């Protein structure tokens, strides 16, 4: 089980790096959906005897539903509404993005070494994975031009926070994780509505057009 | 306590349900009035903790709750006139959203569980975005998008910080809880590297919501494009509750032994916010964006006060109240001026004092109050912060504080004077029907009177409350 | 001893069969019957019987190119361990020489292309070399990861017994490295998605245009060398992907041969299902492979 969990963590980081390089929005949305579905497996893989199976199953099912189906459906709907399909060259460029992501992964491992975990070694890869995913999400939000891509970055960041949340669901009530899922859903819903308005107002989802306000 | 939370929520449901545009502002007023009544009741008879200790009213919470409630009530009165004048716009989302915002802000003030606190702040973010878009034009849409994205990012990082704190308390023998009381009691057993990392993320996250530099990029756009009444509530209420969240975090960090690191970070970021505000306020033509930078500056002062600790912390809480009331005056008056001249650029608006005697002079008086001139209350609160800094031996900090305050005064003053003085004939043609009326000029006048009154005399109960709040920062 | 001899013979004799398998798989995907599996052998035999034509603008460099290329690849093959058995020649750090010999082969071919004095071949050489400059770091990084995982510095030991132990402790990292090496293999052997070996359009050729001017036995050497190179990369990928213990050296070798066929089928499948990347995207692919193997290294170092 622990080896499987390690494979899931590594796959999550690989998907992060793939996201930094992807230029087609549909592929990116499906990759984020895949990453979310993978993360839904984590509570099941990391379960121990102290856990309540009902809670764990509910959490995994909820995460799969929200991250794997509901949110990608909303994103694909937003994409269809706006008829965007490809991301223009982002502000940072694909190759520099990948390299920055790789540096972020390296730094995550370094920082995770400085933060001692209370539990045994079974969670050794969890903190670096969470931090790398958060870093990837930040990078995506900051460097992409299309609004849908920025929302994808936010989704990736929340994925990273979810990974970390799995660690503390050992002893925190599941309400915390449920809160995270609910928040994610609500945030993406509101963003979707704003994107709809942006498309109507500007006939484009290129956030370069949203630069009239500046000092 | 239930009244405080449920009354505005019930009013929100009512507002969403009402079909007619005219009746909805009354729901807003009803909700605000009930909330204020609840706060008065809480002053007279302090309520007991509820929900297994998740909700409790302590000194910092009471300060924030009272100032927010008073500001909201005055703004609700103002909104009656504002929404009547903007009868062309659909106001269901606006009124309902404002009431939900009040509920969320109350929840933050009452929250004693860090997870619940986070949820409440997230609700304020999500519900404010559609409100910024009230004017339904391209610029306000851009402002709403930037606000939503930047604040959601910040809140997500704050969630990560909250999780870090939960992990810090999960060690052997640790409190295993996110209740503030448990974390403070078990402070010595918290894992220090995790607490330090948690503080960094929480400072970034809640600092984004407060509008501290360099996380303030959403503020000029959001405050610039939002209606005046919303700007007042955002800059007086939402930033205050975000500050409260930061104060709670600081308390936990101090209990864990990371207090020195946390305080130094707060002092640094406070000074940086003041400096950045001073730089960007010079030559600022849009007077609503100028008010946003003023808000950044005052959040910097709050962070500075709490970072220094001692009597400066009490001064910071006093300053929180003064900032709420003062910003209320400024935003409401600015809203009046904007509507009357149909422009918010200092080059096109002149002679506001002649055309709108009450609003114009209130704008000027509000500027004087907010930049710390006696006899207004902000002078005394900033003096308290300075006093705390000097007493603590932070001479460089005090010197920088004074220099930056004067820089802000000069920068802000040039814009305000350009707007207020002069002959209205040179400016854009004023709109008919948007002159001063009791309902639009009365509320800011009331707030100004309060600021003046607090400057002349602070009731003993209030000053004791401020001292208790300052001590509660750890 | 016998095993070593058999392996050497297999290395020299089997690569054209590998190319035949790739072509067959591509044909099957396209719904055709495809050429016979031994077709590359007949092609090589036919080319060896033909005469060579040399252009007047070429010099000895052009004539030496194919021979030097083939010699370098064969020498690299002597360093390679097939199926986990020790290689014919091995010493500490020989994986660097391995990469260097493959680079020498490419250098010889590119030099021969430039020697023709035609801008068309020069363009092909420039493209090929610029992609190689990104593929080399990826290749070396993958080899470094393997060296670190097994604690050995010679290819024979890196791909030998100790790989089984490394797989038990660092399996995911080695899997990532194998994936990155697969991408590098596609790039170095001029396969889709980096280059299309069957294109005739001038604008899209990269490797093909470099060898356009060779004829007769020279062309046979080049084709044979390319097949050997594919075999070598396949040996690396296959050994990394299937690094576990086998009961005896002969079973290991048999499994190795079977896996090589699988590798060829995989290459054919990838070529048939993917479209060729825009040339500006190829650097991203190669940097991605480097980043993957870099990540594997980070996993090993923590």
């Amino acid at each position: 089980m622990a080896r499987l969990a390690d494979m899931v963590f590594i796959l999550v980081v690989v998907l992060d790096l793939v996201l930094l390089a992807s230029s087609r929005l549909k592929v990116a949305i499906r990759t984020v959906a895949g990453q979310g579905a993978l993360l839904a497996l984590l509570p099941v893989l990391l379960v121990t005897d102290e856990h309540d199976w009902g809670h764990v199953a509910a959490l995994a099912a909820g995460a799969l539903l929200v991250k794997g189906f509901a949110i990608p459906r909303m994103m694909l709907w937003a994409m269809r509404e706006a008829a965007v399909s490809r991301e223009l060259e982002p502000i940072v460029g694909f190759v520099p993005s990948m390299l920055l992501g790789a540096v972020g992964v390296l730094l995550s491992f370094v920082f995770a070494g400085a933060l001692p975990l209370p539990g045994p070694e079974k969670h050794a890869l969890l903190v670096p994975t969470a931090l790398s995913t958060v870093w990837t999400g930040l990078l995506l939000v900051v460097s992409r031009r299309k609004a849908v891509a920025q929302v994808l970055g936010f989704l990736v960041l929340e994925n990273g926070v979810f990974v970390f949340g799995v660690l503390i669901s050992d002893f925190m009530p599941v309400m915390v994780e449920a809160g995270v899922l609910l928040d994610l859903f609500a945030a993406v819903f509101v963003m979707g509505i704003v994107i709809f308005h942006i498309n109507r107002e500007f006939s484009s989802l290129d956030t370069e057009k949203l630069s009239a306000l500046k000092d | 306590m239930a009244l405080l939370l449920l009354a505005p929520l019930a009013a929100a449901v009512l507002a969403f349900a009402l079909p007619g545009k005219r009746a909805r502002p009354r729901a807003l007023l009803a909700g605000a009035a009930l909330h204020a009544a609840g706060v008065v009741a809480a002053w007279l008879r302090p309520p007991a903790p509820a929900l297994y200790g998740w909700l409790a009213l302590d000194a910092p919470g009471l300060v924030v709750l009272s100032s927010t409630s008073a500001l909201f009530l005055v703004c609700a009165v103002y909104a009656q006139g504002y929404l009547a004048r903007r009868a062309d716009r659909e106001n269901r989302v606006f009124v309902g959203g404002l009431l939900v915002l009040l509920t969320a802000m109350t929840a933050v003030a009452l929250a004693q569980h860090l997870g619940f606190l986070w949820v409440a702040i997230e609700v304020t973010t999500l519900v404010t975005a559609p409100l910024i878009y009230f004017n339904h034009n391209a610029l306000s849409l851009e402002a709403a998008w930037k606000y939503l994205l930047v604040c959601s990012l910040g809140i997500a990082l704050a969630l990560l910080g909250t999780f870090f704190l939960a992990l810090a308390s999960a060690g052997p023998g640790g409190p295993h809880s996110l209740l503030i009381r448990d974390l403070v009691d078990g402070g010595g057993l918290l894992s220090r590297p995790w607490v330090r990392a948690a503080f960094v993320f929480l400072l970034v996250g809640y600092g984004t919501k407060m509008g501290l530099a360099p996380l303030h990029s959403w503020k000029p756009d959001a405050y610039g494009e939002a209606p005046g009444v919303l700007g007042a509530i955002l800059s007086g209420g939402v930033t205050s509750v975000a500050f409260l969240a930061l104060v709670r975090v600081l308390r936990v960090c101090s209990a864990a032994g990371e207090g020195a690191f946390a305080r130094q970070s707060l002092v640094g970021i406070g000074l940086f916010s003041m400096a950045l505000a001073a730089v960007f306020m010079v030559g600022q033509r849009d007077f609503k964006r100028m008010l946003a930078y003023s808000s950044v500056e005052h959040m910097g002062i709050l962070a500075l006060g709490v970072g220094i600790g001692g009597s400066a912390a009490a001064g910071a809480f006093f300053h929180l109240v003064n900032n709420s009331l003062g910003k209320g005056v400024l935003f409401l008056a600015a809203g009046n001026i904007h509507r009357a001249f149909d422009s918010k650029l200092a080059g096109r608006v002149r002679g506001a004092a002649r055309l709108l005697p009450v609003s114009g002079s209130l704008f000027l008086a509000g500027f004087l109050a907010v930049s710390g001139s006696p006899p207004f209350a902000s002078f005394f609160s900033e003096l308290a912060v300075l006093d705390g800094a000097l007493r603590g031996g932070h001479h460089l900090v005090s010197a920088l504080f004074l220099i930056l305050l004067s820089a802000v005064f000069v920068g802000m003053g040039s814009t305000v004077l350009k707007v207020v003085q002069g002959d209205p004939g040179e400016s854009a043609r004023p709109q008919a029907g948007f002159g001063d009326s009791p309902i639009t000029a009365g509320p800011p006048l009331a707030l100004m009177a309060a600021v003046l009154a607090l400057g002349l005399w602070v009731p003993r109960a209030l000053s004791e409350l401020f001292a208790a709040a300052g001590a509660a920062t750890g | 001893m016998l095993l070593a001899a058999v392996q050497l013979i297999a290395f020299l004799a089997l690569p054209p069969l590998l190319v035949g398998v790739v072509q067959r798989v591509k044909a099957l995907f396209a719904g055709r019957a495809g050429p016979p599996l031994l077709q590359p052998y007949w092609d090589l035999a036919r080319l060896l019987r033909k005469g060579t034509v040399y252009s007047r603008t070429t010099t000895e460099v052009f004539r030496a190119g194919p021979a030097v290329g083939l010699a370098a690849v064969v020498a690299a093959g002597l360093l390679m361990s097939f199926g986990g058995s020790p290689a014919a020649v091995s010493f500490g750090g020989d994986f660097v020489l391995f990469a260097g010999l493959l680079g020498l082969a490419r250098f010889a071919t590119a030099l021969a292309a430039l020697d023709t004095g035609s801008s068309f071949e020069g363009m092909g050489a420039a493209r090929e070399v610029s992609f190689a400059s990104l593929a080399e770091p990826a290749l070396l990084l993958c080899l470094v990861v393997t060296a670190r995982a097994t604690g050995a510095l010679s290819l024979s030991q890196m791909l030998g017994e100790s790989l089984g132990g490394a797989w038990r402790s660092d399996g995911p990292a080695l899997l990532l490295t194998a994936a990155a090496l697969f991408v590098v293999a596609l790039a170095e052997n001029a396969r889709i998605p980096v280059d299309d070996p069957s294109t005739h359009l001038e604008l899209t050729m990269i490797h093909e245009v470099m060898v356009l001017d060779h004829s007769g036995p020279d062309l046979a050497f080049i084709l044979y060398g390319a097949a050997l190179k594919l075999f070598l990369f396949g040996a690396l990928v296959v050994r990394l992907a299937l690094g576990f213990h086998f009961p005896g050296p002969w079973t290991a070798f048999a499994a190795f041969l079977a896996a090589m066929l699988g590798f060829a089928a995989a290459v054919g499948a990838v070529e048939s299902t993917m479209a060729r990347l825009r040339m500006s995207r190829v650097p991203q692919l190669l940097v991605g492979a480097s980043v993957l193997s870099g990540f594997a290294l980070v996993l090993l170092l923590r």
Side-chain angles (χ1 to χ4, degrees):
Chain A
M1 278 300 212
R3 276 297 284 269
L4 261 176
D6 277 348
M7 298 273 272
V8 168
F9 289 137
I10 292 179
L11 206 54
V12 166
V13 178
V14 169
L15 284 179
D16 286 337
L17 296 170
V18 166
L19 271 172
L20 283 172
S22 66
S23 70
R24 292 214 296 269
L25 277 176
K26 222 182 244 188
V27 169
I29 293 177
R30 289 199 207 282
T31 310
V32 174
Q35 199 183 44
L38 262 182
L39 291 179
L41 283 177
L42 271 182
V44 177
L45 289 175
L46 292 176
V47 76
T48 61
D49 300 319
E50 305 143 9
H51 288 147
D52 176 5
W53 263 103
H55 275 161
V56 167
L59 182 60
L64 185 63
L65 203 63
V66 173
K67 286 183 193 280
F69 292 112
I71 291 189
R73 288 273 303 271
M74 279 200 288
M75 303 292 303
L76 284 172
W77 170 85
M79 247 188 68
R80 246 200 324 271
E81 276 291 315
V84 301
S85 59
R86 188 173 276 270
E87 166 84 14
L88 315 163
E89 184 71 17
I91 300 174
V92 182
F94 288 113
V95 171
S97 296
M98 254 196 291
L99 291 174
L100 276 174
V103 167
V105 170
L106 185 64
L107 288 177
S108 312
F109 274 89
V110 169
F111 283 136
L115 294 168
L117 277 175
E121 277 307 303
K122 63 177 168 151
H123 294 308
L125 276 182
L126 192 145
V127 177
T129 305
L131 288 176
S132 331
T133 313
V134 167
W135 170 253
T136 306
L138 269 176
L139 209 55
L140 282 173
V141 171
V142 165
S143 69
R144 296 293 143 121
R145 290 187 217 260
K146 293 264 194 240
V148 174
Q150 288 174 344
V151 177
L152 275 180
F154 176 71
L155 278 175
V156 172
L157 196 144
E158 286 274 4
N159 276 352
V161 177
F162 182 87
V163 171
F164 205 80
V166 168
L167 183 62
I168 67 165
S169 71
D170 282 0
F171 58 94
M172 280 283 132
V174 167
M175 202 186 93
V176 168
E177 292 278 26
V180 177
L181 286 175
L182 211 63
D183 143 64
L184 186 61
F185 188 78
V188 175
F189 186 69
V190 174
M191 286 183 189
I193 294 187
V194 177
I195 285 183
F196 171 69
H197 281 287
I198 289 181
N199 184 43
R200 229 180 28 183
E201 186 76 35
F202 294 97
S203 306
S204 146
L205 282 191
D206 188 350
T207 54
E208 292 272 288
K209 300 214 163 59
L210 293 177
S211 52
L213 293 171
K214 56 166 77 89
D215 278 319
Chain B
M1 207 182 298
L3 179 69
L4 284 172
L5 279 176
L6 293 177
L9 201 57
V13 170
L14 186 66
F16 277 116
L18 278 176
K21 259 189 268 186
R22 290 182 195 285
R24 276 198 214 112
R26 314 282 176 258
L28 182 65
L29 194 56
L34 283 172
H35 189 260
V39 171
V40 169
W43 267 92
L44 295 174
R45 200 169 47 136
L51 265 189
Y52 304 107
W54 277 42
L55 295 175
L57 196 55
D58 57 358
L62 187 57
V63 172
V64 171
L65 189 63
S66 321
S67 78
T68 307
S69 184
L71 180 67
F72 196 89
L73 183 61
V74 171
C75 288
V77 172
Y78 179 89
Q80 309 299 307
Y82 173 71
L83 288 173
R85 284 187 177 178
R86 282 272 181 255
D88 52 308
R89 300 240 179 84
E90 178 59 46
N91 60 12
R92 181 193 302 252
V93 171
F94 192 70
V95 171
L98 274 179
L99 287 165
V100 174
L101 185 61
L102 180 63
T103 317
M105 290 197 284
T106 313
V108 175
L110 294 173
Q112 295 294 324
H113 183 270
L114 286 177
F116 182 63
L117 176 72
W118 178 84
V119 170
I121 293 206
E122 169 74 5
V123 171
T124 66
T125 307
L126 289 179
V127 84
T128 312
L131 299 181
I132 297 179
Y133 186 45
F134 181 63
N135 287 329
H136 278 273
N137 57 13
L139 288 176
S140 64
L141 185 58
E142 181 184 334
W145 176 250
K146 284 187 187 167
Y147 173 82
L148 190 56
L149 209 57
V150 175
C151 285
S152 298
L153 264 187
I155 295 295
L157 290 176
L159 182 62
L160 194 62
T162 311
F163 281 169
F164 278 16
L165 267 184
L167 197 62
S169 80
H176 280 257
S177 144
L178 274 180
L179 281 172
I180 295 176
R181 183 193 59 225
D182 292 341
L183 285 171
V184 169
D185 288 341
L189 297 161
L190 297 176
S191 163
R192 283 184 64 163
W194 285 106
V195 170
R196 189 179 280 232
F199 180 75
V200 171
F201 277 101
L202 284 165
L203 180 61
V204 169
Y206 291 140
T208 308
K209 208 66 181 81
M210 255 176 90
L212 289 172
L215 312 154
H216 67 290
S217 56
W218 55 273
K219 247 192 188 177
D221 301 338
Y223 289 6
E225 301 306 317
V229 65
L230 182 65
I233 295 175
L234 285 181
S235 67
V238 174
T239 51
S240 307
V241 300
F243 173 70
L244 182 64
L246 210 54
V247 161
R248 304 251 190 249
V249 168
L250 176 65
R251 182 139 178 249
V252 171
C253 287
S254 306
E258 289 290 328
F261 168 72
R263 281 174 197 284
Q264 275 166 6
S265 317
L266 280 171
V267 168
I269 210 172
L271 283 174
F272 184 61
S273 303
M274 291 178 70
L276 194 130
V279 165
F280 275 89
M281 260 207 261
V282 174
Q284 181 66 245
R285 294 186 64 219
D286 183 334
F287 55 77
K288 269 186 168 173
R289 286 174 80 91
M290 173 199 77
L291 291 180
Y293 285 113
S294 167
S295 174
V296 172
E297 179 221 349
H298 285 281
M299 288 304 117
I301 297 178
L302 289 182
L304 187 69
V306 171
I308 294 176
S311 60
F317 277 97
F318 186 24
H319 194 75
L320 186 146
V321 175
N322 300 333
N323 180 52
S324 297
L325 301 175
K327 283 291 183 305
V329 174
L330 280 171
F331 270 101
L332 295 181
N336 288 340
I337 297 176
H338 180 192
R339 245 192 332 278
F341 288 87
D342 197 31
S343 162
K344 44 192 179 83
L345 296 175
R348 304 192 58 196
V349 175
R350 285 190 164 279
R354 301 257 181 97
L355 193 68
L356 302 163
V358 183
S359 296
S361 34
L362 277 178
F363 197 58
L364 183 62
F367 152 67
L368 287 174
V370 140
S371 53
S373 314
F376 297 108
S378 301
F379 172 75
F380 295 101
S381 58
E382 284 170 10
L383 190 64
V385 171
L386 185 64
D387 179 53
L390 286 171
R391 257 184 234 249
H394 305 101
H395 298 294
L396 178 63
V397 169
S398 318
L400 280 172
F401 182 60
L402 285 173
I403 294 172
L404 291 171
L405 277 178
S406 11
V408 166
F409 180 81
V410 169
M412 201 169 165
S414 67
T415 313
V416 170
L417 288 174
K418 245 190 275 186
V419 166
V420 169
Q421 290 175 335
D423 185 3
E426 300 161 5
S427 68
R429 174 150 343 182
Q431 304 280 305
F434 283 134
D436 273 338
S437 77
I439 194 117
T440 58
L445 192 60
L447 286 175
M448 195 74 236
V451 174
L452 185 60
L454 272 179
L456 294 175
W457 169 67
V458 180
R460 166 96 56 107
L462 265 184
S463 58
E464 277 172 5
L465 182 65
F466 295 144
T473 62
Chain C
M1 205 57 226
L2 181 60
L3 181 61
V6 167
Q7 282 182 346
L8 205 55
I9 294 174
F11 167 61
L12 291 174
L14 285 181
L17 179 62
L18 214 63
V19 176
V21 170
V22 174
Q23 284 175 347
R24 221 1 155 45
V25 170
K26 279 167 76 167
L28 284 175
F29 264 91
R32 298 180 275 123
L37 280 176
L38 299 179
Q39 183 60 36
Y41 292 102
W42 310 140
D43 285 336
L44 285 175
R46 172 177 53 92
L47 285 170
L48 283 172
R49 283 198 296 269
K50 282 189 167 181
T52 356
V53 176
Y54 290 116
S55 157
R56 268 201 293 274
T57 52
T58 61
T59 64
E60 279 71 31
V61 177
F62 185 74
R63 282 158 234 238
V68 171
L70 183 60
V73 177
V74 172
L78 291 177
L79 292 170
M80 185 68 191
S81 140
F82 301 108
S85 333
V89 177
S90 78
F91 47 89
D94 62 7
F95 65 91
V96 181
L97 183 62
F98 176 77
L101 282 171
L102 290 177
L104 179 64
R106 183 179 32 247
F107 180 63
T109 320
L111 216 54
L114 288 172
D115 191 48
T116 61
S118 158
S119 57
F120 192 31
E121 275 79 345
M123 173 195 82
R127 284 179 182 170
E128 168 98 0
V129 170
S130 58
F131 288 156
S133 66
L134 289 168
E136 290 267 318
L139 173 66
L140 278 171
L141 206 53
C142 292
L143 289 172
V144 163
V145 169
T146 320
R148 171 78 193 184
T150 52
L153 282 181
S154 164
L155 269 175
S156 306
Q157 284 150 11
M158 271 160 55
L159 300 175
E161 296 290 302
S162 29
L163 196 59
W167 250 98
R168 261 193 299 278
S169 55
D170 294 309
L174 286 176
L175 205 58
L176 279 178
T177 314
L181 260 180
F182 187 74
V183 173
V184 171
L186 289 175
E188 289 261 3
N189 290 291
R191 301 264 150 203
I192 291 177
V194 175
D195 180 13
D196 188 354
S198 59
T199 178
H200 320 293
L201 306 171
E202 294 174 1
L203 277 177
T204 59
M205 286 202 237
I206 302 179
H207 183 81
E208 292 304 308
V209 75
M210 276 203 309
V211 304
L212 210 54
D213 276 297
H214 297 281
S215 50
D218 282 348
L219 188 57
F221 286 170
I222 289 191
L223 288 179
Y224 183 53
L228 285 176
K229 199 165 157 185
L230 183 65
F231 191 83
L232 283 177
F233 271 98
L236 256 181
V237 174
V238 156
R239 183 63 191 145
L240 270 182
L242 299 174
F244 25 83
H245 250 0
F246 283 101
W250 285 97
T251 31
F253 189 58
F256 168 76
L257 287 179
M260 284 300 285
L261 288 178
F263 171 75
V267 171
V270 167
E271 286 216 88
S272 309
T273 50
M274 277 191 74
R276 191 184 145 165
L277 286 177
R278 278 205 332 255
M279 280 199 214
S280 53
R281 296 275 285 162
V282 174
Q284 292 169 21
L285 179 71
L286 292 170
V287 169
S290 307
V291 162
L292 265 184
S293 42
F295 178 45
L297 191 62
V298 169
L299 280 177
L300 284 177
L301 285 177
R302 64 173 171 89

